Amino acid sequence: MKLKNYLLACILSFIGFSTFAQYGSQKKADNLFNKFSYSNAIKVYKSLIDKDYNADYATRQLADSYAFLRNPDSAVVYYKKAVEQENIPIEYYYNYAQALRGVKNYKEYRIWMRRFKKAGGKINEDNLLKDSDFVNSIFNAKLQYFLTDVNFNSKYSDFGAYEHDGKIYFSSSRDEGVSSNHIYGWNGEPFLDIYTANDRTDNLINHKSKLKGSINSIYHDGPLTITKDGKTIYFSRNDYNKNVLGKNEEGISNLKIYKATLVDDKWTNIEELPFNNNSYSTGHPALNKDETKLYFASDMPGGIGGTDIYYVEINNGSYGEPKNAGNIINTNKNERFPFINSEDVLFFASDGHPGLGLLDIFGTVSDKKNNIVSVINLGVPVNSSKDDFSFFMNDDGLSGYFASNRNGGVGSDDIYAYDRIPQLKIEGTVADTLNNPIANATVELFDKNGNIIAYLDTDDEGYYEINIDRDSNYNLNAKKEGYTDNTKFVSSKGIERSIKSITADFVLNYKKVVIPITELYPIYFDFNKYDIRKESTTELDRIVNLMMNTYPDMVIKIESYTDSRGTAEYNKKLSIERADATYKYLINKGVDPDRITEYNGYGEQNLVNGCDGTFNCTEAQHQLNRRTQFIVIKME
């Protein structure tokens, strides 16, 4: 009996010790998780699942850990198990959907997003319904970006490539030397430092390639942006200055933005920017074209989502208050890594706008007043089902870099170089013979076989633009009711890839309206005079009535002539005076001057008979040539 009790006590003691040990393991895993040391937490959660200790909880934590590590391939496995649990919080439906999106399972993604909504979650139904069409359009769109190899990627995280004066700057956690003692618990890699490479083929990157000066610290440094003169650098860093690591109330060291200056080829004089704050992060700095604004990402209070894009005004070295870039750019999720190219177009990474996976890269579209009106997904191959971020474009607009953790890379995050062939377009204006723009004229684009490809109407200024393919031939036709069509041949063959547009302007002539000869009669003049004769006023008054009442849109021109007697120079002057007298009579009677496109004299040209001085003519025959004619240009 005593032996039995002793054995039972030992068994209970062992179970209690084992349970206590597993409880300690869960507490350790949770501490690692709460300190963002996800890679280390994963190992412990997996051991808890293997021992079947609080496995449902460990499964959920494990799925979240993989999601935070931006590893949807593993996250989707554990989220699938999590959503099968009873009384699972509905946010796991959403998290599972996002992981499905990250592995390109868009059908299941939509199913679980609808289930999330049915359970009480809030989603943008319009975006969800359009998602299928969006994904198809992205994959079927004409490629503009073509990827090329970057030789300086490592097995660790490399991102934030930025080219300036022929040198490439980038952030990397490749340091396995002294700094390997400082490991970032989130992903188990060394902290980031800023490195430089000579070009994309440079593969000799080591500790000697680190940025010279005092920017690199024992914590995270980068990404960065550099002023045009190359003398000032803005960069992200953990809240670490003068060998002191700052932390918020929860013990977390947030990101801050610093600047440094170049002195004797070394970066020094590090200053913290005044809009930083210990309680939230500011990072990923980017300068606009004229360096009057500094853009950055932040999770400061009052934002639209998790992290938003902000900017501050720069004025003679001082910085204004942070301003949110607005809800066209920012969503209720995360926007990060802003970049502004040489044309002041903002690019950024987001997991809130419709995309192909996790973070996608987007560009902004602005109106003629430079107001941002929409954003566009850059599509494949820039974006993938994984994280795509830290976009950079050189001043030529034809090359640059971005980073991604997509499959097939060398490390956790890799830098990808791209060469870009920009979209080519035909643009121009449609105007009349007086160079007045014609609004709502239709411009049609035909291929070489005469098939219509596209058509559009001109705007209020007569402007149009149509995207076309390179290395192709086209015909353009411009038309508008009341005008004669105008057709042009346009070729994009042999166009350099740096050229973005071909100009094709059109001039449309008014259609000549056929009016019976009895409709408008000529008026006649006395010999060597330009006065309006009394009998001519009857016809002129009739023309006034036609223009002001019968045909209120009729447009005419006036042509005046003389007979052949006198010198050609004198006859030209006399005919102009007759045209001027006729014009003034109609205007004085109330005809709008804009409806008389031209009034001019042509001397003894266009004789109606053969009275050119080579034989004798009667006065009545000469009279027929001393006339003003009225030509109808437009009726309606």
Side-chain angles (χ1 to χ4, degrees):
M1 187 69 177
K2 289 182 179 180
L3 179 62
K4 180 179 180 181
N5 289 338
Y6 175 77
L7 291 174
L8 179 60
C10 289
I11 292 170
L12 291 174
S13 175
F14 176 79
I15 292 173
F17 178 80
S18 176
T19 301
F20 178 79
Q22 291 168 15
Y23 170 76
S25 294
Q26 178 177 304
K27 185 176 181 181
K28 176 183 177 182
D30 288 346
N31 283 334
L32 291 169
F33 184 93
N34 292 332
K35 292 179 180 179
F36 309 109
S37 185
Y38 300 116
S39 62
N40 292 322
I42 284 172
K43 300 175 186 177
V44 186
Y45 284 129
K46 281 185 175 180
S47 70
L48 292 172
I49 294 173
D50 291 340
K51 296 173 183 177
D52 198 25
Y53 180 81
N54 208 356
D56 283 354
Y57 171 79
T59 298
R60 296 195 298 271
Q61 292 292 95
L62 189 57
D64 287 340
S65 295
Y66 278 120
F68 284 125
L69 287 174
R70 316 303 284 183
N71 183 348
D73 299 276
S74 297
V76 75
V77 174
Y78 292 97
Y79 277 132
K80 186 177 189 298
K81 296 178 180 180
V83 295
E84 294 172 352
Q85 298 173 11
E86 294 184 2
N87 301 317
I88 187 75
I90 66 170
E91 60 263 25
Y92 281 89
Y93 296 161
Y94 180 88
N95 294 343
Y96 182 35
Q98 299 309 308
L100 287 165
R101 190 184 185 95
V103 296
K104 300 183 182 179
N105 192 339
Y106 301 111
K107 182 178 179 181
E108 285 293 311
Y109 156 77
R110 288 188 288 277
I111 290 174
W112 283 93
M113 284 295 285
R114 289 192 173 92
R115 187 165 179 180
F116 171 67
K117 180 185 178 184
K118 187 176 180 180
K122 294 182 179 180
I123 65 173
N124 188 322
E125 186 70 20
D126 289 340
N127 284 347
L128 184 62
L129 292 174
K130 295 176 183 176
D131 185 74
S132 179
D133 292 337
F134 162 77
V135 171
N136 288 333
S137 67
I138 287 295
F139 280 106
N140 293 329
K142 188 177 297 295
L143 294 183
Q144 290 190 48
Y145 298 85
F146 299 87
L147 305 189
T148 55
D149 291 335
V150 170
N151 291 347
F152 54 78
N153 283 312
S154 70
K155 66 180 181 180
Y156 294 106
S157 179
D158 303 286
F159 68 94
Y162 185 96
E163 191 166 338
H164 187 276
D165 285 345
K167 183 178 291 186
I168 302 170
Y169 302 76
F170 65 99
S171 295
S172 177
S173 59
R174 67 184 63 206
D175 193 346
E176 298 181 270
V178 176
S179 294
S180 61
N181 295 324
H182 298 275
I183 301 298
Y184 185 36
W186 184 302
N187 57 13
E189 295 186 0
F191 282 91
L192 296 165
D193 281 327
I194 299 174
Y195 291 77
T196 62
N198 293 321
D199 54 50
R200 64 179 65 172
T201 64
D202 193 348
N203 57 9
L204 298 176
I205 305 297
N206 51 40
H207 66 280
K208 295 181 180 179
S209 305
K210 286 187 177 183
L211 194 65
K212 294 181 179 179
S214 53
I215 286 181
N216 287 321
S217 69
I218 60 174
Y219 295 102
H220 284 313
D221 304 288
L224 58 91
T225 187
I226 303 175
T227 55
K228 292 178 182 178
D229 62 10
K231 297 180 179 179
T232 302
I233 190 171
Y234 294 90
F235 64 98
S236 302
R237 176 196 277 182
N238 280 115
D239 184 1
Y240 183 76
N241 203 9
K242 297 180 180 179
N243 298 321
V244 176
L245 179 66
K247 296 182 180 181
N248 63 12
E249 293 179 354
E250 288 77 33
I252 298 171
S253 177
N254 286 307
L255 285 180
K256 288 186 175 182
I257 299 175
Y258 299 83
K259 76 172 182 177
T261 54
L262 188 65
V263 179
D264 296 330
D265 202 32
K266 292 184 179 181
W267 294 101
T268 185
N269 300 327
I270 295 176
E271 298 178 28
E272 179 182 336
L273 297 193
F275 51 85
N276 289 324
N277 194 292
N278 292 338
S279 61
Y280 54 79
S281 285
T282 55
H284 311 164
L287 288 164
N288 69 337
K289 179 180 178 180
D290 60 8
E291 301 181 351
T292 59
K293 292 180 181 178
L294 182 70
Y295 286 76
F296 59 93
S298 177
D299 59 353
M300 66 177 63
I304 297 172
T307 55
D308 284 358
I309 304 296
Y310 290 82
Y311 66 90
V312 293
E313 305 279 353
I314 303 176
N315 186 10
N316 294 325
S318 63
Y319 304 88
E321 293 296 318
K323 296 179 182 178
N324 192 290
N327 58 12
I328 294 177
I329 295 170
N330 294 314
T331 69
N332 60 353
K333 295 299 185 296
N334 300 289
E335 282 68 44
R336 302 167 179 168
F337 297 97
F339 170 76
I340 299 89
N341 71 1
S342 59
E343 296 180 359
D344 257 348
V345 176
L346 170 66
F347 296 84
F348 62 95
S350 171
D351 59 6
H353 292 284
L356 296 177
L358 303 175
L359 285 174
D360 270 15
I361 298 170
F362 296 82
T364 54
V365 178
S366 299
D367 60 19
K368 293 181 179 179
K369 296 181 180 179
N370 292 323
N371 296 314
I372 294 175
V373 294
S374 64
V375 301
I376 54 173
N377 188 297
L378 296 194
V380 295
V382 171
N383 289 320
S384 67
S385 62
K386 301 300 191 293
D387 280 320
D388 309 289
F389 57 100
S390 70
F391 183 83
F392 169 82
M393 179 181 287
N394 282 306
D395 288 345
D396 61 6
L398 303 176
S399 61
Y401 307 91
F402 66 92
S404 178
N405 65 350
R406 65 187 62 183
N407 296 334
V410 178
S412 55
D413 297 313
D414 287 313
I415 295 169
Y416 293 81
Y418 67 82
D419 290 302
R420 174 175 174 260
I421 299 179
Q423 177 67 59
L424 184 64
K425 65 182 178 181
I426 299 175
E427 62 179 337
T429 57
V430 179
D432 62 19
T433 55
L434 298 178
N435 204 32
N436 297 314
I438 300 177
N440 298 317
T442 300
V443 180
E444 299 169 320
L445 180 70
F446 297 87
D447 65 17
K448 63 181 180 180
N449 298 318
N451 301 311
I452 188 166
I453 301 172
Y455 65 91
L456 51 78
D457 291 339
T458 56
D459 62 17
D460 291 340
E461 298 176 356
Y463 175 80
Y464 76 93
E465 64 176 46
I466 304 176
N467 290 334
I468 60 172
D469 292 333
R470 294 174 182 270
D471 198 35
S472 301
N473 293 329
Y474 298 95
N475 281 305
L476 281 172
N477 183 63
K479 62 183 182 180
K480 177 70 181 289
E481 186 177 354
Y483 298 85
T484 303
D485 291 7
N486 191 351
T487 300
K488 287 190 174 185
F489 170 78
V490 176
S491 177
S492 61
K493 291 188 175 182
I495 297 292
E496 294 183 7
R497 72 184 184 113
S498 60
I499 295 175
K500 301 177 183 178
S501 68
I502 301 172
T503 300
D505 294 328
F506 290 89
V507 175
L508 301 186
N509 293 312
Y510 289 109
K511 282 185 177 179
K512 291 185 179 180
V513 180
V514 179
I515 301 292
I517 193 64
T518 57
E519 192 71 28
L520 297 180
Y521 297 107
I523 62 171
Y524 297 94
F525 295 84
D526 291 335
F527 175 71
N528 200 30
K529 292 185 178 180
Y530 58 84
D531 306 284
I532 302 296
R533 300 196 308 201
K534 183 176 182 181
E535 59 266 29
S536 296
T537 59
T538 301
E539 178 60 19
L540 290 174
D541 289 341
R542 194 175 74 85
I543 293 174
V544 170
N545 182 59
L546 286 172
M547 296 186 70
M548 298 184 66
N549 299 309
T550 309
Y551 302 113
D553 295 318
M554 185 168 71
V555 177
I556 66 170
K557 71 175 181 177
I558 297 169
E559 297 179 350
S560 296
Y561 300 91
T562 67
D563 59 30
S564 62
R565 293 175 290 184
T567 65
E569 181 180 356
Y570 179 81
N571 286 339
K572 173 71 172 177
K573 179 176 180 296
L574 179 60
S575 66
I576 291 174
E577 290 172 331
R578 287 172 177 171
D580 187 54
T582 306
Y583 172 78
K584 288 180 178 178
Y585 185 95
L586 296 178
I587 298 306
N588 290 335
K589 288 290 185 175
V591 174
D592 186 346
D594 289 339
R595 294 173 60 196
I596 302 176
T597 62
E598 180 183 349
Y599 57 100
N600 205 352
Y602 297 91
E604 56 193 68
Q605 299 179 43
N606 300 329
L607 299 172
V608 299
N609 49 36
C611 296
D612 58 0
T614 58
F615 60 91
N616 293 327
C617 287
T618 66
E619 182 61 31
Q621 289 174 313
H622 283 302
Q623 174 69 89
L624 294 176
N625 291 318
R626 299 193 301 268
R627 71 199 187 279
T628 288
Q629 295 179 174
F630 303 93
I631 310 300
V632 175
I633 301 300
K634 178 183 175 184
M635 287 293 294
E636 55 180 332

